[in-house]
Amino acid sequence: MGDSVGHVMPSQVLTTSPQSNIGEIDRIMDGQKIQGLPVDEKKKFVGIISRADILTAITQEADMTHRLAAPAGK
């Protein structure tokens, strides 16, 4: 494969911010059929959020909700 990255990458890149809602980012990734989004803050790259990160966050939130709803001592 002799193409360069610049030749095959999309011309417009979707990004998100650290303040974005996880549910909304999940819907965007699902709709765009992508596995991750670059995270930028004030036009500076600060990380990547992946589908795995979202699944972890949702699982942790559900676990915490379940723990808070469980009767004491169980």
Side-chain angles (χ1 to χ4, degrees):
M1 184 179 264
D3 290 335
S4 67
V5 172
H7 186 254
V8 297
M9 68 183 238
S11 59
Q12 282 194 323
V13 178
L14 292 175
T15 64
T16 189
S17 75
Q19 295 78 28
S20 295
N21 177 278
I22 289 177
E24 181 62 24
I25 296 306
D26 186 45
R27 286 187 286 281
I28 290 169
M29 286 184 185
D30 190 46
Q32 296 294 317
K33 307 287 189 248
I34 56 177
Q35 297 298 310
L37 277 176
V39 180
D40 70 21
E41 192 165 35
K42 299 179 183 173
K43 303 211 182 232
K44 181 179 178 187
F45 175 78
V46 294
I48 296 175
I49 182 86
S50 70
R51 300 283 295 194
D53 295 329
I54 291 172
L55 181 58
T56 298
I58 291 170
T59 302
Q60 288 174 345
E61 183 176 329
D63 185 48
M64 181 62 70
T65 301
H66 177 62
R67 286 183 193 181
L68 292 174
K74 293 199 175 199

